[in-house]
Amino acid sequence: MGYTKMTVAQALVKFLDNQYVERDGEVTKFVEGVFTIFGHGIVVGLGQALDENPGSLKVYQGRNEQGMAHVAAGYAKQNNRKKIIACSSSIGPGAANMVTAAACATVNNIPLLLLPGDTYATRQPDPVLQQLEQSYGPSITTNDAFRPVCKFWDRIVRPEQLMSTMINAMRVLTDPAETGAVCVALSQDAEGEAYEYPDYFFEKRVHRISRPVPTEADLKDLTAMIVSSKKPMIICGGGVRYSEAGEELMKFCETFRIPFAETQSGKSACKSSHPYNLGGLGVTGNLSANTIAEEADLIISVGSRLSDFTTGSKNQFKNPEVKIASINISRFHAYKMDSLPVVADAKAALEVLSESLKEKGYISAYNCEIEEAKKAWDEEMERLSNYCYDDDFEPIVKARNPVSIEEFVELTGGVITQTAALSLIRKEIDPDAIVIGASGSLPGCLQRMWTTDQKDAYHMEYGYSCMGYEIAASLGAKMASPNQEVYSMCGDGSFQMLHSELATSLQEGMKINVLLFDNCGFGCINNLQMSNGIGNLATEFRYRDEDGNLNGGLIPVDYAKVCEGYGVKTYTAKTLEELKEALADAKKQTVSTLIDIKVLPKTMTEGYKSWWNVGLASVTGIEGQQKAYENLMENRKKARRY
């Protein structure tokens, strides 16, 4: 047995460089590199180790800590959680900036390794620059803020701790049921302390991603539940994508004539063109899926967290006799909504369940309902695609500031409707292009309208719906799939919040395409606000008026000019013709591009046979808000209690 004397940081780098994952016999190097914005708490510790001997790890330079962590999350997601990029920062604001990204990764079950610097273990120089001090606890630092948003957390104050801590970090990062953000805080002085580490700590370590099968009893119960159903429906969740079970799910549905609907995470695990694919489900779902969901007598959730949007705040499934079964690798998620819990890998479960149902000779009782529901949605899609600003124009969303649309047209010259823009984009970009989204009205429109037969080409972060994810994660997706075009579907509000990693995309020579939908405000939240009788307070981008309120004129922004300064190839599209030309030219570019699309407010899709439970004022003197509250109470009565 040999030993090597090295610092904590040097040992950490060497350990990370020797981690691998294996699934179905395929071994993949797990850690690609380290994203960092060096500060005083990390540059002379971990930074020294990466400078002296990074091994095969690649060092990436971020522009904003939250942004670079979103890049890493997008990279991990696009690699179906089989590869990661670690993220390091200094203690203080650098670490605090990554808290949002940590929460985002944990909510979505995406592996994200965070290595923030920390204060001194000895406390001799306390308080150091950027140190957060609490009089009731000297051991508390900024990094304690990671505790509630991570799946594993530890602080290294002695060199010996690194070994067990990093093995546990890898345990969580590579566990499909538990993965999420992992924070290993590095005390500044400990980073540089030396220890004789055993050589076996640095041996190639392969973490096997197994495929648990259902227990015999669970399989028997689930089979019986399906056999007794006439009109079952499957929910295709993110677990189908990460298990790479799309082919199995499609074969399963063909064999037993069972339709399936998609969650945001599950979309593109299966082909949009599949005859049993109903499309998006729930609050952001379409007419086809939500129509079938109303009558289904059994919901089989495969790899879904069953969130309020997917289940329409537990009011989507209206059949009084409906039952729910949940196949999920996470026992926690499998137990939701009083489901029959089947704790198993999606692919493995579908394979054994298929054999069990074949033995029973099961076929669903659907006749023409699936085809009719899909036909009705196809007709609606045609209407949305042809929706334009003409003499007969009416906004899709009725709740609005009555002056906004005409004011927007006069100010920007933009006359593009959001639904027509998305339809055109789908036709013009490559069939295998990857689209990224996260926030605003675009996720709803995309879940309803976007179609793709390319595996994993739809990349939506909708567990945390984190504004600012879109552009950063597009870079991560491009790094994971460099031979495919990547398009960031981004609203103007989200762009203003975080677009720093555009500069990183230029630095890395990784071309991404930002499709910026500018409607002068937070359009999605303005819809929610005004549809419940509330005014348009702080959801449109307006100057302050003479009365001191935010009701002045709309604020115009030339986003193309903003990004031109970075070196991005930019375009402005005010008509569909200009958008088509810009999309065609953007394909020819080798640097990142941005198309500033001036999109009419209130031209996004709206709910189809769904309801969202939101907390409204129970006491108000405003008639519109009173009516909204009464409607809320009526719908809550119809929803499942848990």
Side-chain angles (χ1 to χ4, degrees):
M1 182 188 302
Y3 296 87
T4 304
K5 187 174 184 179
M6 58 179 68
T7 69
V8 167
Q10 293 161 358
L12 173 59
V13 169
K14 189 171 183 178
F15 174 85
L16 291 176
D17 199 28
N18 284 287
Q19 304 307 302
Y20 294 78
V21 294
E22 181 265 317
R23 185 167 72 178
D24 299 336
E26 180 184 352
V27 177
T28 305
K29 191 173 189 301
F30 189 51
V31 186
E32 167 71 12
V34 180
F35 244 114
T36 186
I37 297 177
F38 284 134
H40 71 277
I42 201 80
V43 68
V44 296
L46 183 59
Q48 184 278 331
L50 288 168
D51 180 62
E52 181 179 2
N53 185 12
S56 65
L57 298 180
K58 192 171 182 178
V59 177
Y60 299 93
Q61 184 180 38
R63 297 301 185 278
N64 173 283
E65 291 88 357
Q66 179 182 333
M68 72 183 189
H70 284 325
V71 175
Y75 179 82
K77 180 180 175 77
Q78 197 62 37
N79 275 299
N80 279 342
R81 308 191 296 199
K82 292 185 287 188
K83 298 184 79 173
I84 67 169
I85 299 174
C87 294
S88 70
S89 76
S90 188
I91 182 59
N97 280 349
M98 296 195 295
V99 171
T100 298
C104 187
T106 293
V107 168
N108 289 280
N109 298 118
I110 301 298
L112 176 64
L113 175 59
L114 304 175
L115 304 169
D118 211 316
T119 53
Y120 274 65
T122 64
R123 302 185 190 169
Q124 183 274 327
D126 287 9
V128 296
L129 180 64
Q130 298 184 336
Q131 180 169 340
L132 173 72
E133 291 186 280
Q134 290 287 8
S135 58
Y136 64 86
S139 67
I140 291 174
T141 77
T142 298
N143 289 324
D144 286 276
F146 284 107
R147 289 177 184 262
V149 296
C150 286
K151 300 303 290 280
F152 179 81
W153 184 97
D154 199 5
R155 176 182 286 122
I156 303 299
V157 297
R158 288 185 59 83
E160 301 94 325
Q161 294 172 335
L162 183 71
M163 294 175 288
S164 60
T165 291
M166 290 313 302
I167 290 171
N168 273 293
M170 290 298 140
R171 169 184 61 81
V172 174
L173 289 165
T174 61
D175 182 351
E178 288 296 320
T179 194
V182 165
C183 175
V184 178
L186 305 170
S187 297
Q188 293 180 44
D189 47 350
E191 286 179 63
E193 289 183 15
Y195 181 75
E196 291 192 346
Y197 287 96
D199 291 344
Y200 57 79
F201 178 58
F202 305 113
E203 291 177 356
K204 179 179 178 179
R205 186 173 275 103
V206 180
H207 307 271
R208 182 168 291 111
I209 302 175
S210 60
R211 293 189 181 277
V213 298
T215 65
E216 196 171 310
D218 286 346
L219 180 61
K220 181 178 179 181
D221 289 347
L222 180 55
T223 300
M225 185 179 278
I226 295 173
V227 168
S228 64
S229 70
K230 295 181 178 179
K231 293 185 177 181
M233 185 181 84
I234 288 176
I235 298 175
C236 171
V240 177
R241 173 180 180 145
Y242 300 129
S243 174
E244 299 182 339
E247 288 292 334
E248 283 69 24
L249 190 143
M250 289 187 287
K251 290 176 186 175
F252 183 90
C253 292
E254 290 168 13
T255 302
F256 306 110
R257 279 187 55 81
I258 299 176
F260 67 94
E262 303 167 312
T263 69
Q264 293 279 20
S265 288
K267 196 174 181 73
S268 79
C270 301
K271 294 180 179 180
S272 295
S273 63
H274 192 275
Y276 289 96
N277 189 345
L278 301 169
L281 173 73
V283 176
T284 50
N286 66 32
L287 183 63
S288 175
N290 287 349
T291 296
I292 295 297
E294 285 187 334
E295 300 298 325
D297 58 2
L298 174 63
I299 302 299
I300 308 168
S301 170
V302 185
S304 172
R305 298 186 305 122
L306 296 176
S307 69
D308 65 337
F309 267 48
T310 299
T311 63
S313 291
K314 300 183 174 65
N315 191 37
Q316 198 66 59
F317 316 125
K318 294 181 168 55
N319 187 326
E321 305 301 321
V322 68
K323 293 181 173 60
I324 302 174
S326 184
I327 300 171
N328 205 298
I329 201 160
S330 163
R331 195 170 189 85
F332 172 73
H333 294 314
Y335 264 76
K336 291 177 179 176
M337 290 187 69
D338 238 2
S339 300
L340 168 69
V342 179
V343 181
D345 169 76
K347 185 176 182 179
L350 288 169
E351 288 173 346
V352 296
L353 180 60
S354 181
E355 294 304 313
S356 181
L357 288 174
K358 284 177 183 177
E359 291 177 4
K360 301 292 183 180
Y362 176 78
I363 298 290
S364 79
Y366 285 105
N367 291 313
C368 301
E369 297 93 335
I370 300 168
E371 292 79 4
E372 289 173 356
K374 287 173 69 71
K375 181 182 177 183
W377 178 243
D378 288 342
E379 292 172 356
E380 175 67 356
M381 279 280 283
E382 187 71 18
R383 183 186 75 84
L384 295 171
S385 299
N386 294 321
Y387 177 48
C388 63
Y389 184 73
D390 56 18
D391 293 339
D392 299 320
F393 173 79
E394 286 290 333
I396 292 175
V397 181
K398 305 304 179 187
R400 66 189 188 280
N401 183 339
V403 304
S404 293
I405 293 175
E406 296 306 323
E407 186 181 357
F408 180 87
V409 173
E410 183 178 350
L411 183 69
T412 69
V415 293
I416 303 174
T417 66
Q418 184 160 304
T419 61
L422 288 173
S423 179
L424 176 67
I425 293 165
R426 174 64 285 183
K427 291 175 184 175
E428 296 299 320
I429 68 175
D430 296 341
D432 69 343
I434 300 168
V435 297
I436 315 287
S439 61
S441 62
L442 283 167
C445 288
L446 287 164
Q447 192 184 5
R448 295 180 182 114
M449 295 185 65
W450 199 258
T451 58
T452 181
D453 282 357
Q454 176 69 32
K455 181 176 175 291
D456 302 337
Y458 183 86
H459 181 134
M460 184 66 63
E461 186 287 291
Y462 210 56
Y464 214 47
S465 189
C466 186
M467 296 179 71
Y469 178 86
E470 298 94 332
I471 292 174
S474 294
L475 173 56
K478 183 66 175 181
M479 292 164 66
S481 302
N483 296 323
Q484 291 170 259
E485 289 278 4
V486 177
Y487 291 84
S488 171
M489 300 288 194
C490 180
D492 51 327
S494 189
F495 177 87
Q496 290 189 24
M497 193 167 287
L498 184 63
H499 62 268
S500 55
E501 303 321 304
L502 255 177
T504 310
S505 76
L506 296 171
Q507 179 181 33
E508 293 294 332
M510 289 285 176
K511 177 198 174 188
I512 61 173
N513 304 281
V514 179
L515 302 181
L516 195 156
F517 288 66
D518 176 18
N519 59 13
C520 281
F522 302 124
C524 174
I525 295 303
N526 181 266
N527 292 345
L528 175 64
Q529 180 184 48
M530 300 196 73
S531 66
N532 285 290
I534 304 169
N536 62 320
L537 175 65
T539 51
E540 292 184 311
F541 294 160
R542 293 184 173 277
Y543 292 106
R544 198 167 292 280
D545 61 20
E546 294 178 354
D547 296 325
N549 300 314
L550 292 173
N551 286 321
L554 290 172
I555 302 173
V557 179
D558 188 338
Y559 294 102
K561 187 172 290 185
V562 170
C563 290
E564 185 181 348
Y566 286 120
V568 173
K569 175 63 177 176
T570 64
Y571 313 82
T572 299
K574 301 177 182 180
T575 66
L576 284 178
E577 291 75 20
E578 291 176 350
L579 176 57
K580 184 175 181 179
E581 292 173 4
L583 289 165
D585 194 68
K587 286 184 183 181
K588 303 173 186 177
Q589 305 304 317
T590 57
V591 298
S592 293
T593 71
L594 177 137
I595 306 177
D596 183 357
I597 310 170
K598 302 303 184 184
V599 178
L600 289 165
K602 307 297 177 179
T603 60
M604 61 283 286
T605 56
E606 210 172 20
Y608 294 90
K609 294 189 172 186
S610 194
W611 168 74
W612 188 26
N613 188 354
V614 293
L616 300 179
S618 58
V619 178
T620 173
I622 301 173
E623 184 178 353
Q625 294 178 22
Q626 288 177 342
K627 183 172 177 55
Y629 182 75
E630 291 167 5
N631 290 335
L632 174 70
M633 291 299 101
E634 286 300 311
N635 278 298
R636 282 182 179 174
K637 291 176 184 177
K638 300 172 186 175
R640 292 171 63 98
R641 295 297 185 266
Y642 65 95

